[in-house]
């Protein structure tokens, strides 16, 4: 049975999309090689603490990633084998063995090879200890991830569990947003990278890194290299005992999922919904808003997304105060709005097949989309405005008033429009809300949608930001007021226009969306969206088809994305803003004559080369944006003449070699 489950996992990987695995494997392998290089090239005095800290980061990524996302890779879920006449221990062994099948575990094993390369520098006995420590460390890291994710999934049934999971995810995001502040604060006193490379991690932090399970192998190697065999064997024995304990705990959690119900009751609680309900309009629109408010409060998955967005802004403010750099605090509200859009772009998939109720109600599509947009504004905008205004007043950062006033309305409009449009246009199907079993974290994986939406949010907020910058740096107050008015107008236009496109698409393609939510993308790849829409509607008129052309093209391109284009999009999406930011900040620095280059690369060049380098950065960023737009909106390939049947109708399988159920 164990071999059968391993083959099942291999079949899932073989028949699934390879783009994400390819990109993730390439990035992970590069990071693993860098980890090995740290153990080889760093001075021996600092290599131990540095390697312990780096391996600690690997452990944190393994633990925080799946538990804060979609529950990790659960291609084989324990609930699938609840009715099988197979002993529970066999199911557990098969699930554990299949969890090691994939890209992440081999990449982590490569990173663990850094123990061996470090041990070689200490001697033969340390190398022998490392040979034992490498597999133990890899197994412990994987088991820590599985156990912690299962515990978070069980805790998600309670309010305190949702808060803890949200704070954990928000801490990771806030650290990413605040890394610039932390670097700036520390670099004022010393050269951070030179200090870490030459002296290693400071004593309190290195002690914590070595105390983590990922650091026990480093402890064993160091003890063996220093001629202390008992501490080395003790560290290895500790890894073995910890692996057995984690395996036992994981077995208990799996047993609960296999023997427990596959459905879960809704969470209770009232919150502020009953207070707001008094002020909501009666009728269908008020019913939609009330339903959405209750769903944001009761559904564990929606509640987690709501709290992640809110806690991230709060923690960004806290980190700014902690390091004494408050310039990011007024911008925390903008971060909240952007994360709110990212967290809510999959709301229709989270609701599952409940969409049929909307489709069977005449004219309900428009009210449903507009009601979701209004609810989004009620849930996220007040707290974002409060954080922005409160942050400016508390820190006295008056320079932020025009920037927040101009960018926040545009970002709000883009968020409320793009999130609902993505929910209709490009859902990430997952388990039904009432059938996610023992893991409320189990829902669709919208990482591809994040990659596309994040750049779009930046593009939408760029015009008012650029206009504000022009007014601020030229001292023209009229331009500043024009930027504020432009941001408000842009936000209204984006919210109304994108919402209109979303509900019109729901009216015309609702059955196809419902079919996708019920069966997933893999079961609906037999026909293109254009063909299905034409068959279901009996042929759309030319004017309506022309109006939907850009979005039809976007959906088709995303559905038929090749591996090469997927890799390019996955690389360009998260990184295109870096040259734009570097070029803009460096250009401002050149024009103002700043003497603090910070980490803006063009400002580290000699004077005559700074301006061309800044312009080159801007040009490269524009080229990256153009490349993404070309991938997303490239022209649809014309269908060949032989793709039609003898009677003139289109073939049910327009793309030879692809399999799937025809809609």
């Amino acid at each position: 049975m164990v071999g059968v489950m391993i083959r099942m996992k291999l079949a899932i990987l073989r028949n699934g999309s390879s783009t994400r695995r390819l990109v993730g494997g390439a990035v992970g392998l590069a990071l693993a090689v860098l980890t090995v290089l740290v153990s080889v090239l760093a001075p021996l005095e600092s290599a131990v603490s540095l390697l312990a800290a780096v391996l600690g980061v690997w452990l944190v990524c393994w633990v925080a990633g799946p538990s804060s996302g979609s529950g990790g890779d659960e291609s084989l879920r324990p609930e699938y084998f609840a009715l099988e006449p197979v002993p529970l221990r066999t199911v557990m062994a098969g699930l554990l063995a299949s969890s090691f099948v994939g890209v992440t575990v081999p990449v982590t094993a490569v990173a663990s090879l850094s123990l061996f390369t470090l041990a070689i520098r200490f001697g033969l006995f340390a190398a022998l200890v490392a040979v034992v420590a490498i597999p133990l460390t890899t197994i412990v890291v994987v088991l820590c991830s599985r156990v912690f994710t299962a515990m978070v999934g069980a805790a998600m049934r309670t309010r305190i569990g949702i808060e803890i999971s949200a704070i954990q995810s928000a801490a990771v995001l806030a650290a990413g947003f605040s890394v610039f502040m932390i670097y700036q604060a520390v670099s004022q006193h010393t050269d951070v990278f030179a200090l870490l490379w030459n002296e290693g991690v400071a004593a309190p932090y290195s002690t914590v890194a070595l105390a983590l399970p990922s650091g026990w192998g480093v402890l064993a190697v160091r003890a063996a290299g220093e001629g202390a065999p008992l501490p080395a064997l003790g560290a290895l024995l500790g890894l073995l005992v910890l692996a057995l304990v984690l395996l036992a705990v994981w077995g208990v959690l799996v047993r609960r999922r296999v023997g427990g119900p596959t459905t879960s009751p809704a969470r209770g609680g009232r919150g502020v919904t009953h207070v707001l309900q008094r002020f909501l309009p009666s009728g269908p629109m008020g019913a939609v808003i009330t339903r959405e408010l209750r769903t944001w409060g009761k559904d564990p998955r929606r509640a987690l997304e709501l709290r992640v967005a809110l806690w991230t802004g709060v923690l960004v403010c806290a980190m700014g105060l902690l390091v004494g750099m408050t310039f990011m605090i007024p911008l925390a509200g903008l971060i909240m709005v952007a994360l709110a859009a990212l967290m809510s772009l999959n709301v229709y998939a989270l609701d599952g097949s409940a969409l049929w109720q909307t489709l069977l109600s005449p004219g309900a599509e428009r009210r449903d989309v507009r009601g979701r947009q209004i609810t989004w504004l009620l849930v996220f905008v007040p707290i974002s405005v409060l954080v922005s205004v409160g942050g400016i007043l508390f820190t006295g950062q008056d320079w932020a008033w025009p920037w927040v006033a101009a960018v926040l309305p545009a970002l709000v409009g883009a968020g409320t429009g793009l999130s609902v449009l993505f929910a209709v246009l490009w859902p990430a199907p997952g388990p039904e809300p009432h059938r996610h079993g023992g893991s409320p974290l189990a829902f669709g994986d919208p990482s591809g949608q994040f990659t596309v939406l994040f750049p779009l949010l930046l593009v939408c907020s760029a015009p008012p930001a650029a206009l504000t910058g022009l007014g601020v740096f030229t001292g023209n107050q009229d331009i500043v007021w024009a930027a504020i008015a432009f941001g408000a107008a842009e936000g209204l236009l984006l919210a109304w226009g994108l919402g209109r496109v979303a509900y019109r698409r729901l009216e015309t393609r609702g059955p196809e969306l419902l079919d996708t939510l019920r069966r997933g993308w893999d079961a609906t790849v037999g026909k293109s969206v254009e063909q299905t829409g034409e068959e279901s509607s009996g042929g759309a008129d030319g004017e309506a088809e022309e109006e939907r052309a850009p979005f039809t093209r976007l959906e088709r391109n995303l559905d038929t994305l090749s591996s090469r284009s997927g890799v390019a999009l996955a690389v360009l999406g998260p990184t295109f803003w870096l040259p734009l930011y570097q070029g803009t900040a460096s250009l401002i620095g050149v024009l103002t004559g700043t003497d603090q280059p910070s980490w803006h690369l063009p400002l580290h060049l000699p004077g005559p080369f700074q301006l061309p380098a800044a312009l080159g950065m801007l040009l490269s960023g524009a080229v990256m944006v153009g490349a993404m737009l070309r991938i997303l909106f490239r022209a649809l390939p014309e269908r060949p003449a032989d793709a039609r049947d003898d009677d003139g109708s289109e073939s049910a399988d327009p793309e030879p070699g692809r399999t799937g159920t025809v809609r």
Side-chain angles (χ1 to χ4, degrees):
M1 184 63 183
V2 175
V4 172
M5 295 175 71
I6 293 176
R7 290 195 296 272
M8 291 171 63
K9 181 66 174 292
L10 290 173
I12 292 173
L13 295 176
R14 183 170 57 252
N15 292 282
S17 174
S18 61
T19 301
R20 185 181 178 186
R21 294 198 308 274
L22 181 61
V23 175
V27 174
L29 185 60
L31 295 176
V33 172
L34 290 177
T35 303
V36 173
L37 291 178
V38 167
S39 65
V40 174
L41 302 178
L44 191 58
E45 297 77 12
S46 60
V48 172
S49 60
L50 272 178
L51 184 59
V54 173
L55 292 179
V57 172
W58 279 87
L59 176 63
V60 170
C61 291
W62 263 95
V63 170
S67 60
S68 60
S70 58
D73 181 13
E74 284 206 331
S75 304
L76 300 179
R77 303 174 63 194
E79 294 86 359
Y80 295 163
F81 307 94
L83 301 181
E84 295 293 331
V86 180
L88 182 60
R89 291 185 178 180
T90 303
V91 173
M92 290 172 52
L95 291 173
L96 181 62
S98 63
S99 66
F100 283 84
V101 177
V103 177
T104 53
V105 175
V107 167
T108 305
V110 173
S112 300
L113 289 176
S114 58
L115 294 174
F116 184 76
T117 54
L118 176 67
I120 293 177
R121 304 173 66 178
F122 282 103
L124 179 60
F125 181 58
L128 296 176
V129 170
V131 170
V132 180
I134 289 173
L136 287 177
T137 301
T138 305
I139 293 172
V140 166
V141 168
V142 175
L143 286 175
C144 282
S145 175
R146 297 292 184 265
V147 171
F148 192 80
T149 302
M151 293 176 64
V152 170
M156 283 282 290
R157 298 178 181 272
T158 64
R159 291 184 178 273
I160 186 64
I162 292 177
E163 295 294 342
I164 293 175
S165 181
I167 293 174
Q168 164 203 320
S169 304
V172 176
L173 292 173
F177 282 111
S178 306
V179 64
F180 174 75
M181 292 191 299
I182 298 173
Y183 172 80
Q184 285 286 86
V186 178
S187 62
Q188 291 178 355
H189 307 285
T190 184
D191 187 347
V192 180
F193 298 109
L195 180 65
L196 288 175
W197 187 259
N198 295 320
E199 300 183 15
V201 182
Y205 307 104
S206 62
T207 302
V208 173
L210 290 169
L212 293 174
S214 57
W216 295 0
V218 181
L219 275 176
V221 169
R222 185 181 68 178
E226 294 175 349
L230 291 181
L233 296 178
L236 295 179
L237 183 61
L239 283 173
L240 179 60
V241 172
L242 179 60
L244 295 176
V245 171
L246 290 173
L247 186 60
V249 174
W250 185 71
V252 173
L253 296 172
V254 170
R255 184 179 295 108
R256 289 182 178 180
R257 291 186 61 178
V258 173
T262 58
T263 61
S264 61
R267 294 171 57 247
R270 294 189 174 187
V272 298
T273 303
H274 288 265
V275 178
L276 292 175
Q277 190 173 358
R278 302 177 183 177
F279 305 96
L280 296 177
S282 59
M285 183 66 73
V288 172
I289 298 174
T290 302
R291 180 202 68 194
E292 286 298 297
L293 286 173
R294 290 180 176 177
T295 305
W296 278 108
K298 291 185 177 181
D299 184 11
R301 298 177 291 184
R302 290 248 213 137
L304 176 64
E305 294 174 346
L306 167 63
R307 285 161 174 78
V308 167
L310 301 182
W311 275 112
T312 300
V314 173
L315 293 179
V316 167
C317 296
M319 288 186 179
L321 292 174
L322 183 64
V323 300
M325 303 190 72
T326 58
F327 68 91
M328 278 289 290
I329 294 179
L331 306 180
L334 303 179
I335 296 175
M336 280 186 175
V337 171
L339 285 177
L342 293 173
M343 295 296 173
S344 56
L345 57 73
N346 203 34
V347 288
Y348 277 106
L350 292 181
D351 292 346
S353 58
L355 178 64
W356 71 268
Q357 301 176 72
T358 301
L359 299 180
L360 292 181
S361 301
E365 292 87 356
R366 177 180 176 275
R367 292 189 293 266
D368 190 77
V369 170
R370 294 303 188 192
R372 290 176 186 269
Q373 287 186 292
I374 294 173
T375 307
W376 192 92
L377 296 174
L378 292 175
V379 170
F380 292 105
V381 174
I383 186 64
S384 301
V385 173
L386 180 63
V387 169
S388 297
V389 174
I392 295 174
L393 295 177
F394 179 74
T395 60
Q397 303 280 341
D398 294 332
W399 61 267
W401 284 116
W403 296 91
V404 173
V407 176
L408 185 59
L411 203 55
V412 167
T416 188
L418 287 171
S419 60
V420 72
L421 179 61
F422 269 64
V424 174
L425 183 70
W426 191 13
E432 288 288 318
H434 61 289
R435 303 192 70 85
H436 50 62
S439 178
L441 289 171
F443 51 87
D445 180 17
S447 56
Q449 290 86 324
F450 289 172
T451 304
V452 177
L453 181 57
F454 178 68
L456 291 178
L457 291 174
L458 293 182
V459 170
C460 292
S461 60
L467 199 57
T468 303
L470 179 62
V472 169
F473 291 113
T474 60
N476 192 328
Q477 196 65 24
D478 293 335
I479 298 180
V480 174
W481 285 110
I484 296 174
F486 179 84
E490 182 190 5
L492 289 173
L493 181 62
L494 288 173
W496 176 83
L498 295 176
R500 183 173 183 269
V501 174
Y503 75 72
R504 291 193 64 179
R505 184 170 186 85
L506 188 60
E507 290 173 347
T508 57
R509 305 290 175 84
E512 288 74 31
L513 175 61
L514 176 61
D515 196 36
T516 299
L517 297 182
R518 290 181 59 197
R519 297 190 287 166
W521 285 113
D522 293 338
T524 58
V525 297
K527 291 185 179 180
S528 65
V529 177
E530 304 90 275
Q531 292 175 284
T532 309
E534 291 174 3
E535 294 177 2
S536 62
S537 62
D541 59 282
E543 183 179 354
E545 194 64 30
E546 183 179 357
E547 181 179 350
R548 292 194 303 265
F551 298 98
T552 301
R553 181 178 297 181
L554 174 63
E555 184 177 20
R556 170 60 187 264
N557 290 338
L558 292 173
D559 289 347
T560 61
L561 203 64
S562 65
S563 298
R564 182 180 301 177
S565 298
V567 171
L569 191 62
V571 172
L572 293 174
T575 59
F576 83 98
W577 61 275
L578 287 172
L580 292 177
Y581 162 75
Q582 288 275 339
T584 303
S586 301
L587 185 61
I588 294 174
V590 171
L591 297 178
T592 58
T594 182
D595 56 351
Q596 296 181 353
S598 184
W599 58 3
H600 304 130
L601 300 181
L603 298 182
H604 287 274
L605 299 175
F609 299 100
Q610 292 181 359
L611 182 59
L615 295 176
M617 285 282 190
L618 290 174
L619 180 61
S620 62
V623 170
M624 294 172 70
V625 172
M628 285 194 301
L629 293 177
R630 183 175 181 180
I631 293 174
L632 295 174
F633 294 98
R634 68 186 186 275
L636 298 177
E638 295 185 1
R639 295 179 51 75
D642 57 357
R644 297 180 176 274
D645 295 329
D646 295 336
D647 59 355
S649 61
E650 293 183 353
S651 171
D653 188 5
E655 296 183 28
R658 297 186 65 178
T659 59
T661 304
V662 178
R663 285 185 288 182

